[in-house]
Amino acid sequence: MPRISVSTPSPSEIAVRGREYSLLVQAQGKGGEIDAEKLSVLISQAGAEGAKAPAGDANLSFDEWSALFARPKTEAEGSGNAIGVFAKDNKNKLTPRAFDRRPVGPKDVRIQIAYASICHSDIHTVKGAWGEAKYPLAAGHEMVGVITEVGSEVKNFKVGDKGGIGCMVNSKCDLTKCEQCAQAKEEQYCPQTIFTYNSVDTDGTVTQGGYSTHIIANSHFVLKWPDNLSMEHGVPLLCAGITVYSPLKHYGMDKPGFKLGVVGLGGLGHCAVLLAKAMGVEVTVLSTSNKKKEEALSKLGADHFLVHTDKEAMKAAMNTLDGIIDTVSQSHDLSTIMSTLKVNGKLALVGVGAADDPMHLPGLVVFKRLTIGGSLIGGIAETQEMLQFAADKGVQCITESIPASYINEAYDRMNKSDVKYRFVINIQGTLVA
Ligand code: NAP
Ligand code: ZN
């Protein structure tokens, strides 16, 4: 194995070449040595045309290192210090556009994004299913990268740390006295929380998400990335993972032997299977077809698989489940699904369709004293706990790597449930500012 090292760049070099610095941090092992395997993956994803890792021992300057990853700037409309993939409106395709991120404030950090993934909420928002969005809008609320700048008051992060961002980036709340933020540590329910995109930030600008080269966020909302968690296969945990982890815990559906149904095997659903299995839960997947059966059982480790449109199979499964987490992205009939719950069963709804669900709740719940609940993502402390849990249990999301130019196609495929199980955008290889 060749021994490769790179001279440490100065803060001013990092400021102008955040992308190359982020790649360096990702390639480095604990002691700063370059991990040959990681380097070859990064060169294949984000390297200059024809670039090759040094064949023998080498001590590279930061300039030489940067040359390994030189790529032309992404063609984009407009001007600014970042490039994002934007929706102009709810009809046209998303396209790259340059825009300005604000400078790092005293409490902020700047993250050079390495990977960002696509949540169905991005599609609902961008396409206006939840109301008119604040266009032009770059979505994305699952992203991970390397911190390249920290504000003067930031204590919990330093330049070179890996950091993740989920659905929240800032707050108008002071975070120290509020019942939701300070006491419950559930910032997601505080009315003053500023969400990662389509929200209005403290400076009056509209927040723009992770389909972009870098982001500035209040460090309170940044997640420390565990050393033993892959960035590429862990990034979907930042929304999909916490959105299912939190209700599993809150509703007591995390106990070994608990019989859990997971409805919808997309991004959230597959995280639910992986995390629940790591908790020792017995998992039944409920899907619209048999297409994902083989993988659900063999790759994801689900115990049982049901097609919820199959009347006979659903009849046989009546009164067998202790709880259900429903992650379906569209309005759908819940009555057959809920018939699988036992007396005192629990239903946690996290999927949010565009229209109201046509279900007759009282009739469905009274005869079995069912508990129905909802849940919105999770707080920062719980997200941190979930990331560590996933890392320690070896949970790896199953992802499909895509360039930024594929986002429109990924949206079309997700609308057809053709996703296994999260699209992850290779930002640093395909968006260059
Ligand atoms: P996704 O990857 O597109 O997966 C959704 C899955 O739902 C599909 O793969 C499909 O699974 C199933 N499905 C789709 N259309 C259906 C229909 N008409 N009837 C029955 N099943 C259908 O979506 P996602 O990113 O996991 O997001 C899922 C939902 O959660 C979205 O509504 C999103 O907005 C919401 N969400 C909520 C929160 C929260 O905090 N509560 C956070 C994130 C996302 P099968 O192929 O297995 O049938
Ligand atoms: Zn999401």
Side-chain angles (χ1 to χ4, degrees), residues 120-121 265-268 287-288 292 327 329 350 352 375 377 417 422:
H120 212 110
S121 301
L265 199 57
L268 268 62
S287 188
T288 43
K292 299 172 182 168
T327 74
S329 55
V350 291
V352 186
S375 194
I377 49 174
S417 301
R422 208 47 148 190

Side-chain angles (χ1 to χ4, degrees), residues 118-124 130 141-142 167 239-240 243 263-270 285-289 292 305 308 326-333 337 349-353 375-378 414-419 421-422:
I118 304 180
C119 176
H120 212 110
S121 301
D122 302 350
I123 305 179
H124 284 323
W130 293 341
H141 56 205
E142 297 173 340
C167 300
C239 170
T243 298
V263 192
L265 199 57
L268 268 62
H270 109 289
V285 169
L286 294 99
S287 188
T288 43
S289 76
K292 299 172 182 168
F305 192 95
H308 56 77
D326 187 307
T327 74
V328 170
S329 55
Q330 310 299 330
S331 171
H332 60 292
D333 181 21
I337 287 166
L349 298 171
V350 291
V352 186
S375 194
L376 178 68
I377 49 174
M414 284 172 76
N415 280 330
K416 293 183 206 138
S417 301
D418 177 16
V419 52
Y421 291 90
R422 208 47 148 190

Side-chain angles (χ1 to χ4, degrees), residues 151-201:
S152 55
E153 292 173 21
V154 173
K155 302 267 185 301
N156 49 341
F157 289 99
K158 59 181 189 321
V159 169
D161 287 348
K162 291 176 189 161
I165 303 252
C167 300
M168 303 177 279
V169 280
N170 205 355
S171 187
K172 290 178 186 153
C173 170
D174 80 349
L175 305 168
T176 61
K177 293 183 268 305
C178 160
E179 196 180 327
Q180 296 308 334
C181 298
Q183 290 166 35
K185 302 211 178 300
E186 289 176 335
E187 302 87 340
Q188 73 273 29
Y189 298 119
C190 172
Q192 307 215 66
T193 290
I194 295 166
F195 290 93
T196 303
Y197 58 79
N198 205 35
S199 260
V200 178
D201 211 337

Side-chain angles (χ1 to χ4, degrees), residues 370-398:
L370 301 183
T371 300
I372 295 189
S375 194
L376 178 68
I377 49 174
I380 294 299
E382 195 176 34
T383 308
Q384 195 66 64
E385 170 192 304
M386 177 273 313
L387 285 176
Q388 198 56 55
F389 175 80
D392 294 345
K393 295 284 183 179
V395 168
Q396 296 244 24
C397 296
I398 300 180

